[in-house]
Amino acid sequence: MKSRLNLLFLILGQLHVTRALNNGIGLKPHLGWSSWNVAQCEAASEKYALDAAAKFISLGLRDLGYEYINIDDCWSTKSRDSSGKLVPDPSKWPNGIKAVVDKIHGMGLKFGLYGCAGQWTCAGYPASEGREVSDVAQLVSWGVDFWKYDNCYTPCNQNPRPQTCTSPAGNTKTWYAPMRDAILGVQNMRKIHFNLCNWGRDEVWTWAAQYGHSWRMSVDNWGDWASVERIGSAAAAISQYSGPGGFNDLDMLYLGSPKLNTNQERLHFGLWAIAKSPLVLGLNLATISNATLDIIRNKGIISINQDALGKAATTFRPPGAPAPVSGKIYPYWVGPLTDGVVIGLCAGTAGGRYSVEFKDVPGLGGAGPYAWKEMYTGQAGRGSRVAFDIALHDMRVIKVTNV
Ligand code: GAL
């Protein structure tokens, strides 16, 4: 009886992660760059896209796996053409979109665009409500690989349209479904990564795997420590919803923000990586500092993020450790990897000495000894515990494997 029950749970568990857009992409969190944090509307142009693509190559980012060049809001004109089509703003796209996509594909990279489920995008450009099929046909004709889909000007009351309330009424699922179906309809022509951006409404992580490949689980990262705390701490409770084909998206990385110091940048990048968030650089690659470059080019951390198992880390409480505090980043994180586990130690609220006995780590089958390597300092060793002095807001990312 017990084993039958186990089988039932196993089947239910499998059903739970049925991926509607199960088209062989998004099996790992996507890596890339997005225009939005760089210069908002101004950056939605051919120049920014091609400059970022060139930097992906010259800075070695493409070789590390960074792949998507994503253009966010404001790339079109303010109105559709007479046949109802979206029009790339000619002042931003003097050669149209397809020519740029072709170049980016020629560089071995992928290209993403932004749209919205309501009548207008958040910045007031035409959006896709009721036009999902024809807008997706346009994406296919340009060769677009990625579609971020926002939540502005969606239904919040009966009339008038367009809607102007900030808080949509009803379940946001309702307006993500038609776009999901439109993307499903073109699967044979183009595999498009569908990224839902409903700002974490309606517990999106509980249903979004049936809709897209990744989903924003929070309102925006504003580039300050408070955002890193708010988003990073919220990721712990929803780790189980991420997996190959569908990942919690903790929002674009805001490394390079003047509001974050290098310690905070390390924690931001490390925590997003072990939480299996997409790693989408929201920064200007032309002016990036060496300290930030070192962080985003950390091979060990990227490979932990890209581990084929696709399981997100969550918090654990070793004996004697304080209870988690809501909204604060807990010190102790762990996640399974194909060949071991990753332990994250976060000095989210206080600098000091942080140590962990391997016998207390979920997923490790005892005290060891194990082999370990810390990815920011390069320190490595073997034994039954790790201990680090960590400065306020800094992080250590430790991969633990069998000896
Ligand atoms: C927000 C979204 C941001 C950015 C912006 C563009 O709703 O969360 O990531 O896309 O819209 O207007």
Side-chain angles (χ1 to χ4, degrees):
M1 181 64 187
K2 195 161 169 249
S3 67
R4 263 200 227 149
L5 266 182
N6 283 345
L7 187 66
L8 183 68
F9 285 131
L10 192 73
I11 292 167
L12 286 175
Q14 294 297 323
L15 286 179
H16 162 77
V17 292
T18 298
R19 311 276 183 203
L21 289 172
N22 191 5
N23 54 11
I25 60 170
L27 298 179
K28 297 174 179 181
H30 59 278
L31 304 182
W33 169 91
S34 166
S35 60
W36 186 248
N37 296 350
V38 178
Q40 291 75 46
C41 281
E42 192 203 319
S45 72
E46 163 175 331
K47 179 165 170 31
Y48 274 87
L50 291 180
D51 282 356
K55 286 284 178 195
F56 265 31
I57 293 170
S58 64
L59 295 174
L61 297 171
R62 181 188 62 182
D63 295 343
L64 288 164
Y66 290 94
E67 190 177 24
Y68 287 89
I69 301 291
N70 290 347
I71 292 296
D72 209 279
D73 207 348
C74 317
W75 56 269
S76 74
T77 53
K78 286 261 170 145
S79 41
R80 292 173 180 266
D81 70 11
S82 54
S83 58
K85 289 194 166 165
L86 293 163
V87 182
D89 180 340
S91 71
K92 292 174 174 162
W93 306 90
N95 302 297
I97 298 242
K98 181 159 188 326
V100 177
V101 178
D102 287 348
K103 272 195 190 160
I104 286 177
H105 285 165
M107 297 161 97
L109 299 169
K110 294 195 164 132
F111 181 81
L113 269 185
Y114 162 100
C116 183
Q119 286 190 319
W120 269 267
T121 72
C122 297
Y125 291 78
S128 298
E129 183 182 338
R131 299 176 183 266
E132 292 83 1
V133 170
S134 62
D135 286 355
V136 166
Q138 271 191 280
L139 300 182
V140 171
S141 75
W142 294 331
V144 170
D145 304 293
F146 181 103
W147 184 232
K148 170 175 171 179
Y149 206 47
D150 217 332
N151 194 29
C152 282
Y153 301 107
T154 46
C156 52
N157 50 40
Q158 287 302 308
N159 276 306
R161 307 291 283 150
Q163 306 285 317
T164 51
C165 4
T166 46
S167 206
N171 195 316
T172 52
K173 252 191 217 185
T174 328
W175 43 89
Y176 281 89
M179 183 50 79
R180 183 266 320 265
D181 294 343
I183 289 175
L184 273 173
V186 298
Q187 295 260 70
N188 293 338
M189 282 175 279
R190 185 129 212 110
K191 297 191 191 317
I192 297 174
H193 181 123
F194 187 33
N195 174 254
L196 281 68
C197 178
N198 80 341
W199 319 309
R201 294 277 170 92
D202 303 318
E203 301 192 321
V204 61
W205 45 86
T206 61
W207 50 268
Q210 281 108 52
Y211 286 71
H213 302 97
S214 54
W215 47 86
R216 283 272 303 279
M217 42 62 81
S218 72
V219 293
D220 292 21
N221 179 356
W222 305 115
D224 51 8
W225 174 248
S227 296
V228 174
E229 270 192 317
R230 169 176 50 84
I231 301 172
S233 60
I238 58 172
S239 62
Q240 69 273 27
Y241 297 105
S242 281
F247 291 95
N248 291 319
D249 177 352
L250 276 56
D251 201 6
M252 295 163 278
L253 293 159
Y254 230 127
L255 277 76
S257 163
K259 297 181 200 156
L260 294 180
N261 65 34
T262 302
N263 292 351
Q264 293 168 337
E265 288 195 341
R266 267 194 292 269
L267 188 145
H268 182 5
F269 187 74
L271 190 53
W272 265 231
I274 69 171
K276 297 293 191 284
S277 172
L279 300 178
V280 178
L281 306 167
L283 53 85
N284 188 341
L285 296 168
T287 55
I288 189 170
S289 71
N290 285 336
T292 302
L293 254 183
D294 275 353
I295 297 171
I296 66 166
R297 291 199 295 209
N298 188 302
K299 272 192 185 159
I301 295 181
I302 294 171
S303 75
I304 286 168
N305 175 260
Q306 295 290 293
D307 182 75
L309 206 56
K311 292 259 185 217
T314 187
T315 50
F316 71 102
R317 189 175 173 187
V325 176
S326 171
K328 297 287 169 196
I329 292 174
Y330 195 63
Y332 307 99
W333 293 71
V334 67
L337 301 173
T338 42
D339 56 348
V341 303
V342 58
I343 296 174
L345 295 178
C346 297
T349 50
R353 189 149 184 87
Y354 289 86
S355 60
V356 168
E357 303 287 333
F358 292 145
K359 69 175 172 37
D360 299 328
V361 176
L364 282 179
Y370 293 97
W372 59 266
K373 179 170 182 196
E374 200 289 312
M375 299 301 172
Y376 279 130
T377 59
Q379 283 172 266
R382 53 181 289 175
S384 56
R385 64 194 297 271
V386 279
F388 295 91
D389 289 321
I390 311 179
L392 179 64
H393 295 171
D394 206 345
M395 179 175 184
R396 295 292 174 263
V397 178
I398 305 126
K399 179 167 175 177
V400 183
T401 49
N402 284 325
V403 287

